[in-house]
Amino acid sequence: MTVIDISPSVMQFLLAFIVVGPLLGAVAALLPAPPGLKGRNPDQAVLRHGVTVTGAVLIAAIVLAVGFDHDHPATMQATTDISWIPALDVRIHLGIDGISLPLLVLTALLTFLCALYSYFKPPAGPSPKAFVALVLVLESGTLATFAVLDLLLFFLAFEMVLIPMYFLINRWGGDQRQAAAWKFILYTLLGSVVMLLGLLLVGLKSGTFDMVALATDNGRGLTTSVQVIAVLAIGLGLAVKTPMWPLHSWLPDAHTAAPTVGSVLLAGVLLKMGTYGFVRILLPAAPDGMRTFAPYLAAFAVVGIVYGSLACLALARTGAKGDLKRLIAYSSVGHMGFVLLGIATMTPTGVNGALFANIAHGLITSLLFFLVGAVKDRYGTADLDTLAGATGAALYGRAPRLGALLAFAAVASLGLPGLAGFWGEMLTLFGAYSPAEGLSRPAFRTFMAIGAFGTLLTAAYMLIVVRRVCMGEHTLSARTTPDTSAPSAPSALSAPSILPAPSAAPASDASQAPATPGTPQTQAATPAPAASPTPGTLQAPTTPGAPQAPPAPQLADVQPYEAAAWTPLVALTVLAGLWPAVLLGLTDPAVQKLLSGGKS
């Protein structure tokens, strides 16, 4: 079934445009703007160009999804197959199925939202020309990774995104950006070198670099020893990009230093390239090698889940001076651990859960990084202690819509039922309960239990973040500090009757009084001793006339351009949570075909 019947030639053109269009747009961004399109200034013109190109790519991706035959999602569609290097049998082979289509649309959507956000709030740094060109090259490489069906083309597309992200971090990032950018490029390049050797081994030993042919052969053309070596080499390169513990250490630094748009694209798009490679290449082409390493992959995955959660808890505690962007980065290590656990089960349930968790993480974590960037812009810092302790009413009182969105993204990230984050984690745990034949059930059920414990840790640190950033701690300490300078009130109910009258304190004294009632300054401003409320009651801070600190100044709440960039992510998070069949209906037939050796 297709929503709109589109001819195969048009589908081919749309997919080719989606891959090549951003690259052409990047070249055009570096050229002088035509006289009629300059706008108020050249910077505005090039930022508008970025919105136009990414918008056109998003429209093409939506049309491609509408024209996709949803009755046969396991079949490669919109295919182009042209010989490129005959001597090596390397072909320009493009195509999409139910596995790659959601990632293609997600990439186009997130890049457009980043371009739209940057148009209204350009990142601080060098000329926007280079910024827009780098974002478009990044988009082209990512889209190509999800669309190509040749191993060498996959490697080229996989590497194509590294240089743009390096410069986005190095030139438009924050503190420690140069060290973070170098760490990112060194880790990923070293992993890629090893991955290239594995890809060459698979292609030369099997006689083809075509990913469809390799999936259909299902490893029958490769000996077990070759498969084991290939999975080890290719898996290391993919694991760095995922990132899998203990190869993750570049990620927190990169996220902390990157600009908001860079963090969104890094979390929402680039991390998916690694897990996509596991599903598209290693599961179908080297099943015996994957079966050998599956227990180790699952073990690393659950360690990453627990490690990421514990790191977030450490950053979230009072006095840790934790950076909120760094905390969200560590949360990605845990969430991507669930994706790897689902892949390691080698079952349709687990792999479908991994693919669903991929999309959910892209939506939710991108929203979180957008929101954290907005908070940092308003407060001038992402330090959790500063956000929680020095802001009085915090986000709920100073920017309620922004606070509500941050709370929504946090509960979506912890896997609340009814939102997108729930289904991926649940399905991966179900897959671990009953792994593929040949894998140890006791071991995987142990991994399942550890992963389930990780969901509790995720809920703990996310709720701590919401309480501290959205509710604050200044008011809480004021309400619970006992007063020893005056007699205790007989009861909480009688406290309001003996508080000073509104006219008892001069305005000048009241404006300087601290938030904690009953301090010497407060007593000096009142003609008679006032009883302290029982610790834990709420009367003193809320009773009219009680001396209180001046209210915290209001912050700019969600702006129209921010709402435009964030609303699609909120809507899709709810849609995927309430109607998971939309995504699972695409992925499941394609996963069944991959795991069965090319048989639907």
Side-chain angles (χ1 to χ4, degrees):
M1 179 192 71
T2 57
V3 179
I4 299 177
D5 190 16
I6 301 177
S7 68
S9 59
V10 174
M11 294 283 284
Q12 290 175 353
F13 171 78
L14 287 172
L15 184 57
F17 172 76
I18 288 170
V19 173
V20 179
L23 201 57
L24 299 177
V27 175
L30 299 175
L31 301 176
L37 299 177
K38 286 184 178 179
R40 291 192 298 270
N41 57 67
D43 290 348
Q44 184 200 41
V46 73
L47 290 169
R48 185 173 59 239
H49 170 79
V51 176
T52 303
V53 174
T54 56
V57 171
L58 175 60
I59 292 172
I62 293 173
V63 174
L64 189 71
V66 169
F68 187 81
D69 185 358
H70 292 260
D71 286 337
H72 301 90
T75 303
M76 284 294 171
Q77 302 179 32
T79 56
T80 299
D81 192 359
I82 303 171
S83 178
W84 184 33
I85 306 176
L88 296 176
D89 194 28
V90 177
R91 310 182 69 81
I92 299 177
H93 193 180
L94 306 177
I96 54 168
D97 62 356
I99 293 173
S100 53
L101 179 63
L103 291 167
L104 205 74
V105 176
L106 176 67
T107 301
L109 173 65
L110 289 179
T111 313
F112 170 72
L113 296 181
C114 287
L116 182 66
Y117 185 85
S118 300
Y119 177 76
F120 291 97
K121 188 171 184 56
S127 166
K129 271 194 171 188
F131 176 83
V132 171
L134 290 170
V135 169
L136 291 175
V137 172
L138 183 70
E139 180 184 28
S140 180
T142 311
L143 291 169
T145 301
F146 299 137
V148 298
L149 297 173
D150 184 275
L151 290 181
L152 292 185
L153 279 183
F154 174 86
F155 176 78
L156 293 177
F158 197 86
E159 296 303 290
M160 185 176 170
V161 304
L162 301 184
I163 300 303
M165 182 55 68
Y166 167 80
F167 281 110
L168 287 175
I169 297 172
N170 195 21
R171 302 301 299 276
W172 287 270
D175 297 336
Q176 305 296 321
R177 60 181 183 269
Q178 292 185 349
W182 275 109
K183 198 171 186 179
F184 163 77
I185 199 72
L186 288 176
Y187 264 77
T188 50
L189 279 179
L190 288 174
S192 298
V193 169
V194 181
M195 184 177 73
L196 176 60
L197 297 177
L199 294 174
L200 291 173
L201 176 66
V202 170
L204 294 175
K205 289 293 184 179
S206 64
T208 180
F209 288 96
D210 188 82
M211 292 156 67
V212 176
L214 288 169
T216 303
D217 187 64
N218 201 224
R220 287 181 288 269
L222 300 173
T223 64
T224 301
S225 59
V226 170
Q227 290 189 37
V228 169
I229 296 172
V231 170
L232 180 61
I234 299 172
L236 279 174
L238 297 174
V240 171
K241 188 67 72 71
T242 299
M244 181 185 76
W245 181 91
L247 304 174
H248 68 285
S249 60
W250 61 270
L251 184 69
D253 293 338
H255 271 308
T256 305
T260 297
V261 167
S263 293
V264 170
L265 293 176
L266 182 58
V269 176
L270 265 67
L271 302 190
K272 312 301 174 284
M273 296 165 62
T275 52
Y276 175 78
F278 275 104
V279 175
R280 177 64 73 194
I281 299 173
L282 292 184
L283 276 178
D288 294 337
M290 276 296 295
R291 196 169 288 108
T292 300
F293 283 104
Y296 304 101
L297 180 63
F300 285 130
V302 296
V303 170
I305 292 171
V306 176
Y307 170 83
S309 299
L310 292 177
C312 290
L313 282 171
L315 289 170
R317 65 183 174 85
T318 304
K321 292 292 181 183
D323 187 282
L324 190 52
K325 286 187 72 176
R326 195 173 189 86
L327 185 147
I328 303 302
Y330 272 111
S331 77
S332 292
V333 176
H335 289 304
M336 298 309 289
F338 280 101
V339 178
L340 291 173
L341 177 60
I343 294 170
T345 66
M346 299 183 68
T347 62
T349 301
V351 176
N352 276 303
L355 294 172
F356 199 104
N358 245 353
I359 300 298
H361 178 266
L363 296 172
I364 297 168
T365 307
S366 296
L367 178 60
L368 277 170
F369 276 117
F370 268 133
L371 293 169
V372 172
V375 170
K376 188 173 183 179
D377 289 338
R378 286 158 172 78
Y379 285 103
T381 181
D383 179 74
L384 270 169
D385 289 334
T386 303
L387 295 175
T391 58
L395 279 181
Y396 282 162
R398 303 182 68 183
R401 293 183 182 86
L402 184 60
L405 280 172
L406 183 60
F408 168 84
V411 297
S413 182
L414 62 84
L416 185 72
L419 298 176
F422 170 74
W423 295 106
E425 294 180 2
M426 185 194 71
L427 290 172
T428 57
L429 295 178
F430 279 175
Y433 182 80
S434 183
E437 185 179 352
L439 300 178
S440 171
R441 285 200 172 192
F444 271 83
R445 288 181 181 179
T446 303
F447 298 147
M448 180 197 73
I450 298 173
F453 176 67
T455 63
L456 300 179
L457 295 177
T458 303
Y461 71 73
M462 277 300 178
L463 293 178
I464 290 173
V465 168
V466 170
R467 176 180 62 79
R468 298 190 68 201
V469 177
C470 295
M471 302 176 187
E473 293 177 337
H474 186 69
T475 305
L476 181 64
S477 63
R479 292 179 179 178
T480 57
T481 302
D483 181 12
T484 57
S485 63
S488 298
S491 69
L493 294 176
S494 62
S497 63
I498 59 175
L499 286 172
S503 60
S508 59
D509 292 334
S511 65
Q512 298 174 2
T516 305
T519 57
Q521 291 90 334
T522 303
Q523 292 176 356
T526 57
S532 167
T534 302
T537 60
L538 305 179
Q539 282 82 0
T542 58
T543 303
Q548 298 180 23
Q554 291 292 307
L555 295 172
D557 214 334
V558 178
Q559 301 298 303
Y561 72 91
E562 293 173 328
W566 304 341
T567 299
L569 301 178
V570 174
L572 289 173
T573 299
V574 175
L575 177 64
L578 296 178
W579 197 10
V582 173
L583 187 56
L584 293 175
L586 284 172
T587 61
D588 185 55
V591 168
Q592 297 274 4
K593 183 176 181 179
L594 278 181
L595 295 178
S596 63
K599 301 174 184 177
S600 300

